[in-house]
């Protein structure tokens, strides 16, 4: 009997890698996509024939109930969100509706249709925000610094609440930044990798960035989706920090990316006020010992390898 999994946000970076991973494991994969005039299937084009795409929306609970009724998945991975921090300041209410309340709609649909479904919620290191301890672990207090972070805290706690109230198998993966050539163009790592390739090719002359001193714990996305799957294979549901445990600045990322194409980043990178956040998150670095002990998971791709993968992909595109 083939296992069936529903992925919301299947057209995103994590959704596409998770879909690939589950197909390799022999799953039947259902991908939820929002009805819009332009749906971007670029990340899943190579596997589109192997997955079932269904129309649904985190703002519309009836569509979620209908999908669960029709397709009867054993696992649900909620990766859909308004996930860009900068946008959350411009669209805070929408971010709350999708990224926060959207989680409740999925959980409640599961409770109504089939409480045996195992649920994964994509939590984020942005929940720690103004950090209370370093490194951050599962018990570190949250202090989000953006409407996105606040909405994710709601999504995280409502997952815990449904687990404790209705005995659902509901887990949250508190994932620190994870990148790949499939990262959205608006994210700083993809922006840097792309600029390095374009500047080296003579297509661009300068790269405008925000806070160069912000420190992040950057991992490789395909490894992180493996951790998501592992959480739903355990005997009991729990929450886990997923991270590399190493931190680097945005400036260091830029330095490595430009060096990969033989350039000195200092000649091309300019700090621009429009890319500064109203409230900055300065230092994120995760302690994923629990994931190592209980799931047998740990990050293996180092930052220089990650940068190389991303920049070479951009060079190939250019």
């Amino acid at each position: 009997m083939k296992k069936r999994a529903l992925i919301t946000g299947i057209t995103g970076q994590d959704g596409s890698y998770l879909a690939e991973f589950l197909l390799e494991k022999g799953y039947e994969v259902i991908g939820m996509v929002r009805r819009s005039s332009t749906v971007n299937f670029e990340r899943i084009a190579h596997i589109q024939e192997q997955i079932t795409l269904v129309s649904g929306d985190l703002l519309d609970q009836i569509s979620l109930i209908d999908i669960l009724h029709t397709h009867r998945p054993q696992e649900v991975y909620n990766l859909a969100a308004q996930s860009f921090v900068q946008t959350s300041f411009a669209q805070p209410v929408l971010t709350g509706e999708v990224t926060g309340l959207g989680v409740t709609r999925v959980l409640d649909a599961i409770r109504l249709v089939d409480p045996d479904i195992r649920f994964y919620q994509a939590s984020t290191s942005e929940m720690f925000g103004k950090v209370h301890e370093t490194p951050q672990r599962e018990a570190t207090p949250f202090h989000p610094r953006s409407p996105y972070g606040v909405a994710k805290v709601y999504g995280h706690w409502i997952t815990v609440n449904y687990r404790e109230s209705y005995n659902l198998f509901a887990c949250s993966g508190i994932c620190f930044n994870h990148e790949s050539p499939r990262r959205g163009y608006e994210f700083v790592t993809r922006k840097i990798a792309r600029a390095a390739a374009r500047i080296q090719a003579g297509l661009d002359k300068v790269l405008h960035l925000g806070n160069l001193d912000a420190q992040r714990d950057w991992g490789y996305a395909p490894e992180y989706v493996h951790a998501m799957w592992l959480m739903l294979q355990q005997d009991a549901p729990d929450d886990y920090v997923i991270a590399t445990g190493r931190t680097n600045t945005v400036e260091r990322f830029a330095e490595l990316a430009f060096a990969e194409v033989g350039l000195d980043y200092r000649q091309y990178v300019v700090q621009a006020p429009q890319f500064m956040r109203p409230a900055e998150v300065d230092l994120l670095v995760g302690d994923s010992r629990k994931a190592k002990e209980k799931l047998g998971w740990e990050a293996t791709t180092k930052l220089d390898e990650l940068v190389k993968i991303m920049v070479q992909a951009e060079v190939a595109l250019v």
Side-chain angles (χ1 to χ4, degrees):
M1 179 68 179
K2 260 194 172 187
K3 261 189 163 178
R4 208 173 295 123
L6 169 68
I7 303 172
T8 74
I10 195 167
T11 58
Q13 168 188 263
D14 292 8
S16 64
Y17 283 120
L18 179 62
E20 279 177 358
F21 178 85
L22 294 177
L23 286 171
E24 280 166 25
K25 289 264 177 217
Y27 277 68
E28 198 179 312
V29 176
I30 317 293
M32 188 179 94
V33 289
R34 265 181 315 159
R35 170 78 189 90
S36 70
S37 52
T38 55
V39 182
N40 183 2
F41 291 130
E42 180 190 346
R43 295 185 183 95
I44 55 167
H46 61 297
I47 53 169
Q48 213 169 318
E49 297 302 309
Q50 298 163 259
I51 56 187
T52 304
L53 293 177
V54 294
S55 194
D57 199 313
L58 291 185
L59 299 178
D60 176 23
Q61 189 165 6
I62 299 296
S63 69
L64 302 173
I65 290 170
D66 188 48
I67 290 167
L68 295 182
H69 255 308
T70 305
H71 297 281
R72 295 288 172 178
Q74 286 92 24
E75 297 174 359
V76 172
Y77 297 85
N78 182 40
L79 309 185
Q82 191 301 100
S83 63
F84 190 45
V85 173
Q86 201 77 31
T87 301
S88 79
F89 284 103
Q91 298 185 304
V93 176
L94 177 72
T95 301
E97 279 284 356
V98 176
T99 306
L101 285 173
V103 186
T104 318
R105 294 186 189 103
V106 181
L107 284 164
D108 218 45
I110 288 170
R111 180 183 71 81
L112 292 166
V113 177
D114 180 3
D116 289 334
I117 291 172
R118 295 189 167 205
F119 175 76
Y120 172 84
Q121 166 59 10
S123 286
T124 169
S125 56
E126 288 285 334
M127 301 189 306
F128 297 120
K130 191 172 183 177
V131 299
H132 290 237
E133 64 177 349
T134 299
Q136 293 90 48
R137 57 204 173 93
E138 290 80 6
T140 302
F142 298 137
H143 190 149
R145 300 269 281 168
S146 66
Y148 168 71
V150 173
K152 279 290 191 183
V153 169
Y154 177 93
H156 181 85
W157 280 118
I158 201 71
T159 300
V160 173
N161 186 264
Y162 269 67
R163 177 166 76 221
E164 293 175 354
S165 302
Y166 303 112
N167 203 24
L168 295 186
F169 194 109
C171 304
S172 280
I174 306 172
C175 290
F176 281 64
N177 294 60
H178 45 288
E179 317 299 318
S180 75
R182 296 184 195 170
R183 198 48 148 147
Y185 284 121
E186 67 272 27
F187 290 88
V188 70
T189 49
R190 180 78 190 272
K191 192 174 163 183
I192 292 169
R194 188 173 188 229
R198 288 179 63 84
I199 288 169
Q200 198 251 351
L203 297 172
D204 288 337
K205 291 186 172 62
V206 68
L207 168 61
H208 292 104
L209 292 176
N211 182 9
L212 296 176
D213 298 323
Q215 295 179 61
R216 293 292 183 271
D217 181 329
W218 280 300
Y220 186 38
E223 293 177 5
Y224 283 50
V225 301
H226 184 200
M228 297 170 189
W229 175 77
L230 284 168
M231 284 178 220
L232 297 197
Q233 312 314 311
Q234 304 307 304
D235 292 334
D238 208 346
D239 307 320
Y240 298 88
V241 163
I242 304 300
T244 71
R246 295 180 294 274
T247 187
N248 287 278
T249 61
V250 171
E251 187 166 14
R252 176 66 178 150
F253 197 102
E255 183 186 353
L256 288 169
F258 279 82
E260 184 62 32
V261 291
L263 299 175
D264 180 349
Y265 78 103
R266 288 169 297 193
Q267 296 175 345
Y268 307 98
V269 172
V270 178
Q271 267 195 301
Q274 70 264 35
F275 295 119
M276 295 293 200
R277 295 180 184 177
E280 184 54 80
V281 173
D282 296 314
L283 171 66
L284 292 174
V285 56
D287 175 354
S288 57
R289 273 178 301 187
K290 181 175 165 184
K292 188 179 179 182
E293 287 162 16
K294 296 215 177 155
L295 305 176
W297 181 91
E298 63 182 319
T300 56
T301 305
K302 305 271 192 296
L303 184 72
D304 55 347
E305 298 169 60
L306 173 63
V307 173
K308 188 185 179 79
I309 291 166
M310 291 185 70
V311 173
Q312 291 303 336
E314 295 299 329
V315 169
L317 279 176
V318 164

